[in-house]
Short mmCIF file of all heavy atoms in Angstrom, two decimals:
data_model
loop_
_atom_site.label_atom_id
_atom_site.label_comp_id
_atom_site.label_asym_id
_atom_site.label_seq_id
_atom_site.Cartn_x
_atom_site.Cartn_y
_atom_site.Cartn_z
N MET A 222 113.84 -61.70 -27.19
CA MET A 222 112.58 -62.30 -26.80
C MET A 222 111.49 -61.22 -26.63
O MET A 222 110.37 -61.41 -27.08
CB MET A 222 112.78 -63.06 -25.49
CG MET A 222 111.54 -63.76 -25.05
SD MET A 222 111.95 -64.79 -23.64
CE MET A 222 110.37 -65.27 -23.14
N PHE A 223 111.84 -60.12 -25.98
CA PHE A 223 110.88 -59.04 -25.80
C PHE A 223 110.46 -58.45 -27.14
O PHE A 223 109.27 -58.13 -27.34
CB PHE A 223 111.48 -57.95 -24.90
CG PHE A 223 110.57 -56.79 -24.70
CD1 PHE A 223 109.45 -56.90 -23.89
CD2 PHE A 223 110.80 -55.58 -25.35
CE1 PHE A 223 108.60 -55.84 -23.71
CE2 PHE A 223 109.95 -54.51 -25.18
CZ PHE A 223 108.85 -54.63 -24.35
N GLU A 224 111.40 -58.36 -28.06
CA GLU A 224 111.09 -57.81 -29.38
C GLU A 224 110.10 -58.70 -30.12
O GLU A 224 109.19 -58.21 -30.81
CB GLU A 224 112.37 -57.64 -30.19
CG GLU A 224 113.28 -56.56 -29.66
CD GLU A 224 114.67 -56.59 -30.30
OE1 GLU A 224 114.91 -57.48 -31.14
OE2 GLU A 224 115.48 -55.73 -29.95
N ASN A 225 110.25 -60.01 -29.99
CA ASN A 225 109.31 -60.94 -30.63
C ASN A 225 107.92 -60.78 -30.04
O ASN A 225 106.92 -60.79 -30.77
CB ASN A 225 109.79 -62.38 -30.47
CG ASN A 225 110.96 -62.70 -31.36
OD1 ASN A 225 111.20 -62.02 -32.36
ND2 ASN A 225 111.72 -63.73 -31.00
N MET A 226 107.85 -60.66 -28.73
CA MET A 226 106.54 -60.48 -28.08
C MET A 226 105.89 -59.16 -28.51
O MET A 226 104.69 -59.10 -28.76
CB MET A 226 106.70 -60.52 -26.55
CG MET A 226 107.00 -61.91 -26.02
SD MET A 226 107.27 -61.93 -24.24
CE MET A 226 105.72 -61.35 -23.63
N GLU A 227 106.70 -58.13 -28.61
CA GLU A 227 106.19 -56.83 -29.02
C GLU A 227 105.67 -56.88 -30.46
O GLU A 227 104.59 -56.37 -30.78
CB GLU A 227 107.29 -55.78 -28.90
CG GLU A 227 106.81 -54.37 -29.15
CD GLU A 227 107.92 -53.34 -28.98
OE1 GLU A 227 109.11 -53.74 -28.95
OE2 GLU A 227 107.59 -52.16 -28.90
N ARG A 228 106.40 -57.55 -31.34
CA ARG A 228 105.98 -57.70 -32.73
C ARG A 228 104.69 -58.50 -32.82
O ARG A 228 103.75 -58.13 -33.53
CB ARG A 228 107.09 -58.38 -33.55
CG ARG A 228 106.73 -58.55 -35.02
CD ARG A 228 107.84 -59.25 -35.81
NE ARG A 228 108.35 -60.45 -35.18
CZ ARG A 228 107.77 -61.67 -35.23
NH1 ARG A 228 106.64 -61.82 -35.90
NH2 ARG A 228 108.30 -62.71 -34.64
N GLU A 229 104.61 -59.59 -32.08
CA GLU A 229 103.41 -60.42 -32.09
C GLU A 229 102.21 -59.65 -31.55
O GLU A 229 101.09 -59.78 -32.05
CB GLU A 229 103.64 -61.70 -31.29
CG GLU A 229 104.55 -62.68 -32.00
CD GLU A 229 104.80 -63.93 -31.17
OE1 GLU A 229 104.03 -64.19 -30.20
OE2 GLU A 229 105.75 -64.66 -31.49
N PHE A 230 102.44 -58.86 -30.51
CA PHE A 230 101.36 -58.05 -29.97
C PHE A 230 100.87 -57.04 -30.99
O PHE A 230 99.66 -56.83 -31.14
CB PHE A 230 101.81 -57.34 -28.69
CG PHE A 230 100.75 -56.49 -28.09
CD1 PHE A 230 99.65 -57.06 -27.47
CD2 PHE A 230 100.82 -55.11 -28.18
CE1 PHE A 230 98.65 -56.27 -26.93
CE2 PHE A 230 99.83 -54.31 -27.64
CZ PHE A 230 98.74 -54.90 -27.01
N ARG A 231 101.78 -56.39 -31.71
CA ARG A 231 101.37 -55.43 -32.75
C ARG A 231 100.57 -56.14 -33.84
O ARG A 231 99.56 -55.61 -34.32
CB ARG A 231 102.60 -54.75 -33.34
CG ARG A 231 103.09 -53.56 -32.56
CD ARG A 231 104.05 -52.68 -33.37
NE ARG A 231 105.16 -53.43 -33.93
CZ ARG A 231 106.36 -53.56 -33.35
NH1 ARG A 231 106.61 -53.01 -32.19
NH2 ARG A 231 107.32 -54.25 -33.95
N GLU A 232 101.01 -57.32 -34.25
CA GLU A 232 100.27 -58.07 -35.27
C GLU A 232 98.88 -58.45 -34.76
O GLU A 232 97.89 -58.32 -35.48
CB GLU A 232 101.05 -59.33 -35.66
CG GLU A 232 102.30 -59.06 -36.47
CD GLU A 232 103.11 -60.33 -36.71
OE1 GLU A 232 102.66 -61.43 -36.31
OE2 GLU A 232 104.20 -60.23 -37.30
N PHE A 233 98.83 -58.90 -33.50
CA PHE A 233 97.54 -59.27 -32.92
C PHE A 233 96.61 -58.06 -32.85
O PHE A 233 95.43 -58.15 -33.19
CB PHE A 233 97.76 -59.86 -31.52
CG PHE A 233 96.49 -60.17 -30.79
CD1 PHE A 233 95.72 -61.25 -31.15
CD2 PHE A 233 96.06 -59.35 -29.75
CE1 PHE A 233 94.54 -61.54 -30.48
CE2 PHE A 233 94.88 -59.62 -29.08
CZ PHE A 233 94.12 -60.71 -29.44
N ARG A 234 97.15 -56.93 -32.43
CA ARG A 234 96.36 -55.71 -32.34
C ARG A 234 95.85 -55.29 -33.72
O ARG A 234 94.69 -54.88 -33.87
CB ARG A 234 97.19 -54.60 -31.72
CG ARG A 234 96.35 -53.47 -31.18
CD ARG A 234 97.15 -52.55 -30.34
NE ARG A 234 97.66 -51.50 -31.20
CZ ARG A 234 98.54 -50.61 -30.85
NH1 ARG A 234 99.08 -50.65 -29.66
NH2 ARG A 234 98.93 -49.67 -31.69
N GLY A 235 96.69 -55.42 -34.73
CA GLY A 235 96.26 -55.10 -36.09
C GLY A 235 95.15 -56.01 -36.57
O GLY A 235 94.18 -55.56 -37.19
N GLU A 236 95.25 -57.30 -36.26
CA GLU A 236 94.20 -58.25 -36.65
C GLU A 236 92.90 -57.94 -35.93
O GLU A 236 91.82 -57.99 -36.54
CB GLU A 236 94.65 -59.67 -36.34
CG GLU A 236 95.77 -60.17 -37.24
CD GLU A 236 96.31 -61.53 -36.79
OE1 GLU A 236 95.68 -62.17 -35.94
OE2 GLU A 236 97.35 -61.94 -37.31
N VAL A 237 92.99 -57.63 -34.64
CA VAL A 237 91.77 -57.30 -33.88
C VAL A 237 91.13 -56.04 -34.44
O VAL A 237 89.90 -55.99 -34.61
CB VAL A 237 92.10 -57.15 -32.37
CG1 VAL A 237 90.93 -56.53 -31.62
CG2 VAL A 237 92.49 -58.48 -31.77
N ASN A 238 91.93 -55.04 -34.74
CA ASN A 238 91.38 -53.81 -35.32
C ASN A 238 90.69 -54.07 -36.66
O ASN A 238 89.62 -53.52 -36.94
CB ASN A 238 92.46 -52.74 -35.48
CG ASN A 238 92.85 -52.11 -34.17
OD1 ASN A 238 92.10 -52.13 -33.21
ND2 ASN A 238 94.05 -51.56 -34.12
N THR A 239 91.30 -54.92 -37.47
CA THR A 239 90.71 -55.27 -38.77
C THR A 239 89.39 -55.99 -38.57
O THR A 239 88.39 -55.69 -39.24
CB THR A 239 91.68 -56.14 -39.58
OG1 THR A 239 92.90 -55.43 -39.78
CG2 THR A 239 91.09 -56.52 -40.93
N GLU A 240 89.36 -56.95 -37.65
CA GLU A 240 88.13 -57.70 -37.39
C GLU A 240 87.04 -56.78 -36.85
O GLU A 240 85.87 -56.90 -37.24
CB GLU A 240 88.40 -58.84 -36.40
CG GLU A 240 89.27 -59.95 -36.97
CD GLU A 240 88.59 -60.68 -38.11
OE1 GLU A 240 87.35 -60.90 -38.06
OE2 GLU A 240 89.29 -61.05 -39.06
N LEU A 241 87.39 -55.87 -35.97
CA LEU A 241 86.40 -54.94 -35.42
C LEU A 241 85.85 -54.02 -36.51
O LEU A 241 84.65 -53.74 -36.54
CB LEU A 241 87.00 -54.10 -34.30
CG LEU A 241 87.22 -54.83 -32.97
CD1 LEU A 241 87.94 -53.93 -31.98
CD2 LEU A 241 85.90 -55.30 -32.39
N LYS A 242 86.70 -53.59 -37.42
CA LYS A 242 86.24 -52.74 -38.52
C LYS A 242 85.29 -53.51 -39.43
O LYS A 242 84.24 -53.00 -39.83
CB LYS A 242 87.42 -52.21 -39.33
CG LYS A 242 87.01 -51.25 -40.43
CD LYS A 242 88.21 -50.86 -41.27
CE LYS A 242 87.85 -49.97 -42.43
NZ LYS A 242 86.69 -50.38 -43.20
N ASP A 243 85.64 -54.77 -39.73
CA ASP A 243 84.76 -55.60 -40.55
C ASP A 243 83.41 -55.81 -39.87
O ASP A 243 82.35 -55.72 -40.51
CB ASP A 243 85.41 -56.95 -40.85
CG ASP A 243 86.60 -56.84 -41.78
OD1 ASP A 243 86.75 -55.79 -42.44
OD2 ASP A 243 87.38 -57.81 -41.84
N LEU A 244 83.45 -56.06 -38.57
CA LEU A 244 82.22 -56.26 -37.82
C LEU A 244 81.37 -54.99 -37.80
O LEU A 244 80.15 -55.05 -38.00
CB LEU A 244 82.54 -56.70 -36.39
CG LEU A 244 81.37 -57.07 -35.50
CD1 LEU A 244 80.56 -58.20 -36.10
CD2 LEU A 244 81.88 -57.45 -34.12
N LYS A 245 82.02 -53.85 -37.63
CA LYS A 245 81.30 -52.58 -37.65
C LYS A 245 80.64 -52.34 -39.00
O LYS A 245 79.49 -51.91 -39.07
CB LYS A 245 82.27 -51.45 -37.33
CG LYS A 245 81.65 -50.09 -37.33
CD LYS A 245 82.68 -49.01 -37.06
CE LYS A 245 82.07 -47.64 -37.21
NZ LYS A 245 83.04 -46.57 -37.12
N ASP A 246 81.35 -52.65 -40.08
CA ASP A 246 80.79 -52.48 -41.42
C ASP A 246 79.58 -53.39 -41.64
O ASP A 246 78.58 -52.97 -42.22
CB ASP A 246 81.85 -52.76 -42.49
CG ASP A 246 82.95 -51.73 -42.51
OD1 ASP A 246 82.77 -50.64 -41.94
OD2 ASP A 246 84.02 -52.02 -43.08
N ARG A 247 79.66 -54.62 -41.14
CA ARG A 247 78.54 -55.55 -41.29
C ARG A 247 77.33 -55.09 -40.51
O ARG A 247 76.19 -55.16 -40.99
CB ARG A 247 78.96 -56.95 -40.85
CG ARG A 247 79.98 -57.58 -41.80
CD ARG A 247 80.52 -58.88 -41.28
NE ARG A 247 79.46 -59.86 -41.10
CZ ARG A 247 79.62 -61.00 -40.45
NH1 ARG A 247 80.78 -61.31 -39.92
NH2 ARG A 247 78.63 -61.84 -40.33
N VAL A 248 77.54 -54.61 -39.29
CA VAL A 248 76.42 -54.11 -38.48
C VAL A 248 75.80 -52.88 -39.13
O VAL A 248 74.57 -52.75 -39.18
CB VAL A 248 76.90 -53.80 -37.04
CG1 VAL A 248 75.85 -53.02 -36.27
CG2 VAL A 248 77.25 -55.08 -36.30
N THR A 249 76.63 -52.00 -39.66
CA THR A 249 76.12 -50.80 -40.33
C THR A 249 75.25 -51.20 -41.53
O THR A 249 74.17 -50.62 -41.74
CB THR A 249 77.28 -49.91 -40.79
OG1 THR A 249 78.04 -49.52 -39.64
CG2 THR A 249 76.79 -48.67 -41.52
N GLU A 250 75.68 -52.18 -42.29
CA GLU A 250 74.90 -52.63 -43.44
C GLU A 250 73.56 -53.22 -42.99
O GLU A 250 72.52 -52.96 -43.59
CB GLU A 250 75.68 -53.65 -44.26
CG GLU A 250 74.97 -54.10 -45.52
CD GLU A 250 74.66 -52.98 -46.50
OE1 GLU A 250 75.40 -51.98 -46.53
OE2 GLU A 250 73.66 -53.09 -47.22
N LEU A 251 73.57 -54.00 -41.92
CA LEU A 251 72.32 -54.56 -41.40
C LEU A 251 71.39 -53.46 -40.90
O LEU A 251 70.17 -53.54 -41.11
CB LEU A 251 72.62 -55.54 -40.26
CG LEU A 251 73.26 -56.86 -40.66
CD1 LEU A 251 73.66 -57.66 -39.43
CD2 LEU A 251 72.33 -57.67 -41.55
N GLU A 252 71.94 -52.43 -40.28
CA GLU A 252 71.12 -51.31 -39.84
C GLU A 252 70.50 -50.58 -41.02
O GLU A 252 69.34 -50.17 -40.97
CB GLU A 252 71.95 -50.34 -39.00
CG GLU A 252 72.32 -50.89 -37.64
CD GLU A 252 73.30 -50.00 -36.89
OE1 GLU A 252 74.02 -49.20 -37.54
OE2 GLU A 252 73.36 -50.13 -35.65
N ARG A 253 71.25 -50.42 -42.10
CA ARG A 253 70.71 -49.75 -43.29
C ARG A 253 69.57 -50.55 -43.90
O ARG A 253 68.55 -50.00 -44.31
CB ARG A 253 71.81 -49.54 -44.32
CG ARG A 253 72.77 -48.47 -43.95
CD ARG A 253 73.86 -48.30 -44.98
NE ARG A 253 74.81 -47.29 -44.56
CZ ARG A 253 76.06 -47.26 -44.92
NH1 ARG A 253 76.54 -48.18 -45.75
NH2 ARG A 253 76.87 -46.33 -44.49
N ILE A 254 69.74 -51.87 -43.97
CA ILE A 254 68.68 -52.73 -44.51
C ILE A 254 67.44 -52.62 -43.64
O ILE A 254 66.32 -52.49 -44.14
CB ILE A 254 69.18 -54.19 -44.60
CG1 ILE A 254 70.24 -54.32 -45.70
CG2 ILE A 254 68.01 -55.14 -44.86
CD1 ILE A 254 70.96 -55.65 -45.70
N SER A 255 67.63 -52.65 -42.33
CA SER A 255 66.50 -52.53 -41.41
C SER A 255 65.80 -51.19 -41.57
O SER A 255 64.56 -51.12 -41.56
CB SER A 255 67.01 -52.70 -39.97
OG SER A 255 65.98 -52.49 -39.05
N ASP A 256 66.55 -50.12 -41.73
CA ASP A 256 65.95 -48.79 -41.92
C ASP A 256 65.13 -48.73 -43.20
O ASP A 256 64.05 -48.15 -43.22
CB ASP A 256 67.03 -47.71 -41.94
CG ASP A 256 67.65 -47.47 -40.59
OD1 ASP A 256 67.08 -47.92 -39.58
OD2 ASP A 256 68.74 -46.84 -40.54
N ARG A 257 65.65 -49.32 -44.28
CA ARG A 257 64.91 -49.32 -45.55
C ARG A 257 63.61 -50.10 -45.40
O ARG A 257 62.56 -49.67 -45.87
CB ARG A 257 65.75 -49.91 -46.67
CG ARG A 257 66.80 -48.96 -47.21
CD ARG A 257 67.40 -49.45 -48.50
NE ARG A 257 68.07 -50.72 -48.39
CZ ARG A 257 69.37 -50.89 -48.18
NH1 ARG A 257 70.15 -49.84 -48.07
NH2 ARG A 257 69.90 -52.08 -48.09
N GLN A 258 63.67 -51.25 -44.74
CA GLN A 258 62.47 -52.06 -44.56
C GLN A 258 61.46 -51.33 -43.68
O GLN A 258 60.26 -51.33 -43.97
CB GLN A 258 62.82 -53.41 -43.94
CG GLN A 258 63.55 -54.32 -44.89
CD GLN A 258 64.04 -55.59 -44.23
OE1 GLN A 258 64.11 -55.69 -43.01
NE2 GLN A 258 64.38 -56.57 -45.04
N ARG A 259 61.93 -50.70 -42.63
CA ARG A 259 61.05 -49.97 -41.74
C ARG A 259 60.41 -48.80 -42.48
O ARG A 259 59.23 -48.50 -42.29
CB ARG A 259 61.83 -49.47 -40.52
CG ARG A 259 60.96 -49.09 -39.37
CD ARG A 259 61.73 -48.76 -38.11
NE ARG A 259 62.80 -49.70 -37.84
CZ ARG A 259 64.07 -49.35 -37.64
NH1 ARG A 259 64.43 -48.10 -37.68
NH2 ARG A 259 64.99 -50.26 -37.39
N GLY A 260 61.16 -48.14 -43.33
CA GLY A 260 60.61 -47.03 -44.12
C GLY A 260 59.53 -47.50 -45.07
O GLY A 260 58.48 -46.86 -45.21
N PHE A 261 59.75 -48.63 -45.71
CA PHE A 261 58.74 -49.18 -46.63
C PHE A 261 57.49 -49.55 -45.87
O PHE A 261 56.38 -49.23 -46.29
CB PHE A 261 59.30 -50.41 -47.36
CG PHE A 261 58.27 -51.12 -48.19
CD1 PHE A 261 57.87 -50.58 -49.41
CD2 PHE A 261 57.70 -52.29 -47.76
CE1 PHE A 261 56.91 -51.22 -50.17
CE2 PHE A 261 56.74 -52.93 -48.52
CZ PHE A 261 56.34 -52.40 -49.72
N LEU A 262 57.66 -50.21 -44.72
CA LEU A 262 56.50 -50.63 -43.94
C LEU A 262 55.72 -49.43 -43.39
O LEU A 262 54.50 -49.47 -43.33
CB LEU A 262 56.92 -51.55 -42.80
CG LEU A 262 57.45 -52.92 -43.25
CD1 LEU A 262 57.90 -53.72 -42.05
CD2 LEU A 262 56.40 -53.68 -44.04
N SER A 263 56.41 -48.37 -43.04
CA SER A 263 55.69 -47.19 -42.56
C SER A 263 54.89 -46.56 -43.70
O SER A 263 53.80 -46.04 -43.47
CB SER A 263 56.65 -46.18 -41.94
OG SER A 263 57.49 -45.61 -42.92
N GLY A 264 55.42 -46.63 -44.93
CA GLY A 264 54.67 -46.14 -46.08
C GLY A 264 53.43 -46.98 -46.32
O GLY A 264 52.35 -46.44 -46.62
N VAL A 265 53.54 -48.28 -46.17
CA VAL A 265 52.39 -49.16 -46.33
C VAL A 265 51.37 -48.89 -45.24
O VAL A 265 50.16 -48.84 -45.50
CB VAL A 265 52.84 -50.64 -46.31
CG1 VAL A 265 51.65 -51.57 -46.22
CG2 VAL A 265 53.68 -50.96 -47.54
N ASP A 266 51.84 -48.68 -44.00
CA ASP A 266 50.93 -48.36 -42.90
C ASP A 266 50.19 -47.05 -43.16
O ASP A 266 49.00 -46.93 -42.89
CB ASP A 266 51.68 -48.27 -41.57
CG ASP A 266 52.12 -49.63 -41.05
OD1 ASP A 266 51.57 -50.65 -41.52
OD2 ASP A 266 53.01 -49.67 -40.19
N TRP A 267 50.90 -46.06 -43.71
CA TRP A 267 50.26 -44.78 -44.01
C TRP A 267 49.17 -44.97 -45.07
O TRP A 267 48.07 -44.44 -44.94
CB TRP A 267 51.29 -43.77 -44.51
CG TRP A 267 50.69 -42.46 -44.88
CD1 TRP A 267 50.44 -41.41 -44.05
CD2 TRP A 267 50.21 -42.07 -46.18
NE1 TRP A 267 49.85 -40.39 -44.76
CE2 TRP A 267 49.70 -40.76 -46.06
CE3 TRP A 267 50.17 -42.69 -47.42
CZ2 TRP A 267 49.16 -40.08 -47.13
CZ3 TRP A 267 49.63 -42.02 -48.49
CH2 TRP A 267 49.12 -40.72 -48.35
N LEU A 268 49.48 -45.73 -46.12
CA LEU A 268 48.51 -45.97 -47.18
C LEU A 268 47.30 -46.72 -46.65
O LEU A 268 46.16 -46.37 -46.96
CB LEU A 268 49.16 -46.76 -48.32
CG LEU A 268 48.28 -47.05 -49.53
CD1 LEU A 268 47.80 -45.74 -50.16
CD2 LEU A 268 49.05 -47.88 -50.54
N ARG A 269 47.54 -47.71 -45.82
CA ARG A 269 46.43 -48.47 -45.24
C ARG A 269 45.55 -47.54 -44.39
O ARG A 269 44.33 -47.59 -44.46
CB ARG A 269 46.96 -49.62 -44.40
CG ARG A 269 45.85 -50.50 -43.83
CD ARG A 269 46.40 -51.56 -42.96
NE ARG A 269 47.11 -50.88 -41.87
CZ ARG A 269 47.65 -51.49 -40.86
NH1 ARG A 269 47.63 -52.79 -40.80
NH2 ARG A 269 48.25 -50.81 -39.91
N GLY A 270 46.18 -46.69 -43.58
CA GLY A 270 45.43 -45.75 -42.77
C GLY A 270 44.61 -44.78 -43.61
O GLY A 270 43.47 -44.45 -43.28
N ALA A 271 45.21 -44.33 -44.71
CA ALA A 271 44.48 -43.41 -45.60
C ALA A 271 43.28 -44.11 -46.23
O ALA A 271 42.20 -43.52 -46.33
CB ALA A 271 45.43 -42.88 -46.68
N LEU A 272 43.46 -45.34 -46.65
CA LEU A 272 42.34 -46.08 -47.26
C LEU A 272 41.23 -46.35 -46.26
O LEU A 272 40.05 -46.26 -46.59
CB LEU A 272 42.84 -47.40 -47.86
CG LEU A 272 43.66 -47.29 -49.13
CD1 LEU A 272 44.19 -48.66 -49.55
CD2 LEU A 272 42.82 -46.69 -50.26
N ILE A 273 41.61 -46.66 -45.04
CA ILE A 273 40.60 -46.94 -44.01
C ILE A 273 39.81 -45.67 -43.67
O ILE A 273 38.61 -45.73 -43.42
CB ILE A 273 41.27 -47.52 -42.75
CG1 ILE A 273 41.76 -48.94 -43.05
CG2 ILE A 273 40.34 -47.52 -41.55
CD1 ILE A 273 42.61 -49.55 -41.95
N SER A 274 40.48 -44.53 -43.69
CA SER A 274 39.80 -43.29 -43.30
C SER A 274 38.91 -42.73 -44.41
O SER A 274 38.07 -41.88 -44.16
CB SER A 274 40.82 -42.24 -42.86
OG SER A 274 41.61 -41.85 -43.96
N MET A 275 39.08 -43.20 -45.65
CA MET A 275 38.27 -42.69 -46.76
C MET A 275 36.88 -43.32 -46.72
O MET A 275 36.73 -44.48 -46.34
CB MET A 275 38.91 -43.05 -48.10
CG MET A 275 40.11 -42.27 -48.45
SD MET A 275 40.66 -42.80 -50.08
CE MET A 275 42.17 -41.91 -50.20
N PRO A 276 35.90 -42.58 -47.17
CA PRO A 276 34.56 -43.18 -47.30
C PRO A 276 34.59 -44.29 -48.35
O PRO A 276 35.35 -44.22 -49.33
CB PRO A 276 33.68 -42.02 -47.77
CG PRO A 276 34.47 -40.78 -47.47
CD PRO A 276 35.91 -41.18 -47.47
N PRO A 277 33.81 -45.33 -48.17
CA PRO A 277 33.81 -46.45 -49.12
C PRO A 277 33.54 -46.04 -50.56
O PRO A 277 34.07 -46.63 -51.49
CB PRO A 277 32.71 -47.37 -48.60
CG PRO A 277 32.57 -47.02 -47.15
CD PRO A 277 32.93 -45.57 -47.03
N ALA A 278 32.72 -45.02 -50.77
CA ALA A 278 32.41 -44.59 -52.13
C ALA A 278 33.65 -44.06 -52.84
O ALA A 278 33.84 -44.30 -54.04
CB ALA A 278 31.32 -43.53 -52.10
N VAL A 279 34.51 -43.35 -52.13
CA VAL A 279 35.73 -42.81 -52.73
C VAL A 279 36.67 -43.95 -53.11
O VAL A 279 37.24 -43.96 -54.21
CB VAL A 279 36.42 -41.82 -51.75
CG1 VAL A 279 37.77 -41.40 -52.27
CG2 VAL A 279 35.54 -40.63 -51.49
N VAL A 280 36.81 -44.93 -52.22
CA VAL A 280 37.66 -46.08 -52.52
C VAL A 280 37.12 -46.83 -53.74
O VAL A 280 37.85 -47.20 -54.65
CB VAL A 280 37.79 -46.99 -51.30
CG1 VAL A 280 38.58 -48.26 -51.63
CG2 VAL A 280 38.45 -46.26 -50.12
N ALA A 281 35.82 -47.06 -53.78
CA ALA A 281 35.20 -47.78 -54.90
C ALA A 281 35.39 -46.99 -56.20
O ALA A 281 35.63 -47.59 -57.26
CB ALA A 281 33.71 -47.99 -54.63
N PHE A 282 35.31 -45.68 -56.13
CA PHE A 282 35.51 -44.86 -57.33
C PHE A 282 36.92 -45.08 -57.90
O PHE A 282 37.09 -45.30 -59.09
CB PHE A 282 35.29 -43.38 -56.98
CG PHE A 282 35.66 -42.45 -58.11
CD1 PHE A 282 34.86 -42.31 -59.22
CD2 PHE A 282 36.86 -41.72 -58.06
CE1 PHE A 282 35.21 -41.46 -60.25
CE2 PHE A 282 37.21 -40.87 -59.08
CZ PHE A 282 36.39 -40.74 -60.18
N PHE A 283 37.95 -44.99 -57.02
CA PHE A 283 39.32 -45.15 -57.49
C PHE A 283 39.61 -46.57 -57.96
O PHE A 283 40.31 -46.78 -58.94
CB PHE A 283 40.33 -44.71 -56.43
CG PHE A 283 40.45 -43.23 -56.30
CD1 PHE A 283 40.01 -42.57 -55.18
CD2 PHE A 283 40.98 -42.47 -57.35
CE1 PHE A 283 40.12 -41.20 -55.07
CE2 PHE A 283 41.08 -41.10 -57.25
CZ PHE A 283 40.64 -40.46 -56.11
N LEU A 284 39.06 -47.56 -57.27
CA LEU A 284 39.27 -48.95 -57.70
C LEU A 284 38.55 -49.22 -59.01
O LEU A 284 39.06 -49.95 -59.86
CB LEU A 284 38.80 -49.91 -56.61
CG LEU A 284 39.66 -49.93 -55.34
CD1 LEU A 284 39.05 -50.88 -54.32
CD2 LEU A 284 41.09 -50.33 -55.65
N GLY A 285 37.37 -48.66 -59.20
CA GLY A 285 36.63 -48.85 -60.44
C GLY A 285 37.26 -48.14 -61.61
O GLY A 285 37.16 -48.58 -62.75
N ARG A 286 37.95 -47.05 -61.35
CA ARG A 286 38.61 -46.29 -62.42
C ARG A 286 39.78 -47.04 -63.01
O ARG A 286 40.05 -46.94 -64.19
CB ARG A 286 39.09 -44.96 -61.83
CG ARG A 286 38.74 -43.78 -62.67
CD ARG A 286 39.05 -42.52 -61.96
NE ARG A 286 40.43 -42.17 -62.23
CZ ARG A 286 41.03 -41.09 -61.79
NH1 ARG A 286 40.37 -40.27 -61.00
NH2 ARG A 286 42.26 -40.80 -62.09
N GLU A 287 40.51 -47.79 -62.18
CA GLU A 287 41.70 -48.50 -62.66
C GLU A 287 41.36 -49.81 -63.34
O GLU A 287 42.17 -50.35 -64.07
CB GLU A 287 42.67 -48.74 -61.50
CG GLU A 287 43.25 -47.43 -60.97
CD GLU A 287 44.24 -47.68 -59.85
OE1 GLU A 287 44.68 -48.83 -59.67
OE2 GLU A 287 44.56 -46.72 -59.14
N ALA A 288 40.20 -50.33 -63.10
CA ALA A 288 39.83 -51.64 -63.66
C ALA A 288 39.38 -51.55 -65.05
O ALA A 288 39.47 -50.97 -65.93
CB ALA A 288 38.69 -52.26 -62.85
#
């Protein structure tokens, strides 16, 4: 009887470890996605700040050049 309980406990512990590893992998992937999005948004914020700080004539020059 004790051997059966010990075996079941080992199986349960293995399943819990597997589930925790899967959960850790999923959280890590979500963190990576969040970091990529945050990096993109910070780049957009930098560009917006740069455009706002430029004199209007410089912005008009660059916009007129591409059109």
Side-chain angles (χ1 to χ4, degrees):
M222 183 172 171
F223 178 73
E224 292 168 358
N225 286 339
M226 288 177 61
E227 186 179 15
R228 181 181 48 81
E229 288 178 16
F230 179 72
R231 276 196 307 266
E232 289 174 4
F233 175 74
R234 199 167 91 189
E236 290 173 11
V237 168
N238 285 338
T239 301
E240 292 294 323
L241 286 175
K242 183 185 177 314
D243 291 344
L244 185 59
K245 180 182 173 187
D246 292 343
R247 291 173 60 192
V248 168
T249 300
E250 183 60 28
L251 289 173
E252 289 172 338
R253 287 179 182 152
I254 291 170
S255 175
D256 289 345
R257 282 193 299 266
Q258 289 173 343
R259 198 173 316 126
F261 173 76
L262 292 177
S263 68
V265 170
D266 287 343
W267 178 86
L268 182 60
R269 183 183 60 175
L272 287 175
I273 289 172
S274 67
M275 287 182 186
V279 172
V280 175
F282 172 76
F283 284 112
L284 290 178
R286 227 171 88 178
E287 293 182 15

